[in-house]
Amino acid sequence: MKNKTVATWLTFLGGPLGLHRFYLRGFGDLPGWLLPIPTALGLYGVERVQQFGQDDQWSWVLIPLLGFTIAACALTAIVYGLMAPEKWNARFNAQAAPEAPAGQTRWLTVIGVAAALLVGTAVLMASLAFSFQRYFEYQIEEARKISQ
């Protein structure tokens, strides 16, 4: 039986590595294996910033991948946590009764949804701010080069 609380927390904490998809769908899930790719690229962008500084153009392209992946997993955790027990059990516990305990929303589920909402929103806003700031700074630098 797939537990909704476990899936919510796995999605929130281990989502960028695809852990929730393996828990819910098994190791044959292709998106679960592909999910770590944007996470790794984003982490590579963070490493490039530390190595080359903030003016590295590849870093401001790669870092938002990490942020968007974390934000998407937080949104998925919210969707899982707020899913009705009947729908959860029909989708992930087809052999169980519609009101089976695995699909019930508990306090740990609510706390996981609240944490995902808080962290996911912060990461999304930070990713957008970082990428737009870098883009506009680049545009200003290019405009200065043209005007001289």
Side-chain angles (χ1 to χ4, degrees):
M1 295 269 266
K2 308 299 184 198
N3 188 300
K4 181 165 64 167
T5 303
V6 172
T8 300
W9 279 99
L10 270 178
T11 307
F12 173 55
L13 297 174
L17 300 176
L19 298 181
H20 65 291
R21 297 200 56 100
F22 297 137
Y23 174 70
L24 294 173
R25 294 179 175 87
F27 288 111
D29 185 52
L30 181 62
W33 289 107
L34 295 177
L35 201 50
I37 294 173
T39 304
L41 289 173
L43 290 173
Y44 176 64
V46 171
E47 184 179 318
R48 286 186 64 96
V49 164
Q50 293 173 348
Q51 187 176 10
F52 300 117
Q54 291 187 354
D55 293 332
D56 181 47
Q57 292 179 5
W58 277 106
S59 66
W60 58 264
V61 171
L62 294 174
I63 288 176
L65 288 175
L66 177 63
F68 295 146
T69 303
I70 292 172
C73 289
L75 178 62
T76 305
I78 293 167
V79 169
Y80 286 164
L82 296 178
M83 194 177 290
E86 302 83 26
K87 188 173 180 183
W88 177 267
N89 287 324
R91 189 169 186 185
F92 297 112
N93 297 319
Q95 73 281 6
E99 290 295 324
Q104 297 295 320
T105 302
R106 294 177 172 72
W107 279 108
L108 278 177
T109 314
V110 173
I111 292 168
V113 167
L117 181 62
L118 179 71
V119 172
T121 303
V123 168
L124 180 62
M125 291 295 111
S127 298
L128 289 172
F130 176 81
S131 59
F132 283 130
Q133 177 185 354
R134 291 284 138 217
Y135 174 74
F136 289 124
E137 286 176 358
Y138 174 75
Q139 292 297 320
I140 290 170
E141 289 174 22
E142 292 300 313
R144 286 186 182 151
K145 289 178 186 176
I146 293 172
S147 66
Q148 292 178 356

